[in-house]
Amino acid sequence: MNVATYTGASEPRIGYVELQVSDLERSVEFYQKLIGFSILKKDDNTVQLTADGVSPHLILTQSEDFVERPSRSTGLYHLAILVPTRQDLALAFTHLMEADYPMQGASDHQYSEALYLADPDNNGIEIYADRDSAEWVRDNSGGYVGATNQLDFEGLLSEIKDAKWTGLSKGTRIGHMHLQASDLEASKKFYVEALGFDIVAQDSHMLFVSKDAYHHHIGMNTWAGTGIPKPPENALGLMHFTFHLNQDEYEAAKNGLTKANFQFQENDQTITTEDPSGIKLKLILKN
């Protein structure tokens, strides 16, 4: 358990998320007009979306032979877009309300405030803003105490003042990934023992892990059941996501995967691997 205090000074840990979508044009329109990304690069069947105009944060891909992802299968629970300020969150909320887009929920999680919705292919999305890490509550073992309390909409909306929604602010990043897993003990062996993540919260159906003492970079749950299968290779939804490691972490991850007999490939300072739930990730060396 990492009991250091999160400072936010480290560079973003999650790079980009790649999704398989059923209608590329429709998904691009959604992520541009409703969420606020802009196009970084596009070709016939792939579009890279960005919040800062420099790095891809979301890659959308459409292939002709896609199939629906079974609901009781591993993969994406939601991808979480971290906006820099509470005002950004308030503006996102009012923009979605004005567009009359259906929301799935809104919560105060103690360490963050969050909005929930889904994209046109029913991929879960969280848009959230962190509270000051000095306010995050820890339990006796050093983990973070989360909550699912009602969001203070009145307080949130008071942050807007004269600001107008103009898309995602430059400091926006993919803050965390929440995954539908098949076996949390197997996930723990992969993410904690092999890759060196710290456990920051856990119970019998949920495991949250992170680097840098963050409240979670990767969340996993078995709420859909234990032992659920991975979806077909060409299913809609999560194709893979990337995670940044420093030199020491990268070498330790390589050693950990080797020692635990997890399969991986290494190419151009990138480790490509698959967790025990069949979820693909790329570990990228960042200096």
Side-chain angles (χ1 to χ4, degrees):
M1 188 75 71
N2 188 341
V3 293
T5 300
Y6 177 72
T7 64
S10 61
E11 77 165 70
R13 285 294 192 162
I14 296 172
Y16 66 82
V17 180
E18 183 161 3
L19 299 177
Q20 167 91 280
V21 299
S22 61
D23 184 326
L24 189 58
E25 195 174 316
R26 179 182 66 170
S27 291
V28 170
E29 183 176 22
F30 167 82
Y31 281 104
Q32 271 192 286
K33 293 184 177 176
L34 272 298
I35 304 300
F37 285 107
S38 57
I39 294 174
L40 183 65
K41 188 178 177 184
K42 69 187 294 188
D43 60 29
D44 290 346
N45 64 349
T46 300
V47 175
Q48 296 185 12
L49 298 171
T50 182
D52 62 12
V54 178
S55 306
H57 292 101
L58 187 63
I59 299 178
L60 305 176
T61 298
Q62 180 183 342
S63 61
E64 298 307 315
D65 63 345
F66 69 82
V67 296
E68 296 286 333
R69 176 190 163 203
S71 58
R72 290 191 75 256
S73 63
T74 61
L76 186 69
Y77 187 71
H78 63 238
L79 63 91
I81 301 164
L82 173 60
V83 294
T85 69
R86 198 175 188 225
Q87 184 185 73
D88 290 309
L89 186 68
L91 289 168
F93 174 68
T94 56
H95 177 67
L96 290 164
M97 290 297 99
E98 286 163 6
D100 200 27
Y101 194 83
M103 302 288 292
Q104 294 182 335
S107 296
D108 180 340
H109 290 305
Q110 200 286 313
Y111 39 68
S112 65
E113 293 174 293
L115 309 172
Y116 295 95
L117 63 155
D119 77 0
D121 287 310
N122 206 33
N123 293 304
I125 301 168
E126 175 182 345
I127 304 172
Y128 75 110
D130 280 333
R131 283 206 167 88
D132 186 322
S133 59
E135 299 174 29
W136 301 356
V137 177
R138 291 185 186 269
D139 59 25
N140 291 333
S141 62
Y144 288 115
V145 178
T148 306
N149 297 326
Q150 187 172 334
L151 190 63
D152 174 13
F153 287 105
E154 192 176 332
L156 184 67
L157 294 174
S158 71
E159 300 281 346
I160 292 178
K161 302 181 175 64
D162 297 326
K164 303 288 183 194
W165 187 87
T166 57
L168 293 170
S169 297
K170 249 187 180 172
T172 301
R173 62 177 74 175
I174 303 297
H176 66 265
M177 297 292 291
H178 196 145
L179 309 173
Q180 205 155 285
S182 59
D183 184 314
L184 293 184
E185 279 306 311
S187 294
K188 192 187 294 186
K189 284 177 180 154
F190 180 81
Y191 287 101
V192 179
E193 294 175 25
L195 297 184
F197 282 81
D198 296 310
I199 297 172
V200 282
Q202 64 179 322
D203 63 25
S204 57
H205 297 289
M206 175 271 287
L207 175 68
F208 282 9
V209 299
S210 78
K211 298 281 187 182
D212 312 318
Y214 192 52
H215 56 69
H216 63 301
H217 283 119
I218 300 172
M220 291 154 274
N221 73 69
T222 53
W223 299 329
T226 301
I228 57 174
K230 70 178 186 178
E233 193 70 28
N234 56 339
L236 295 175
L238 181 63
M239 295 176 73
H240 70 268
F241 67 96
T242 67
F243 198 90
H244 297 163
L245 299 176
N246 65 33
Q247 183 76 55
D248 289 345
E249 293 166 340
Y250 185 86
E251 294 302 329
K254 208 160 46 165
N255 292 336
L257 290 167
T258 302
K259 188 176 176 183
N261 291 318
F262 288 113
Q263 298 299 306
F264 68 92
Q265 293 83 42
E266 185 181 17
N267 183 44
D268 195 24
Q269 300 185 320
T270 298
I271 296 166
T272 302
T273 187
E274 195 174 283
D275 80 3
S277 299
I279 295 164
K280 294 183 175 69
L281 63 154
K282 295 184 178 183
L283 305 165
I284 298 173
L285 174 62
K286 299 290 277 191
N287 295 317

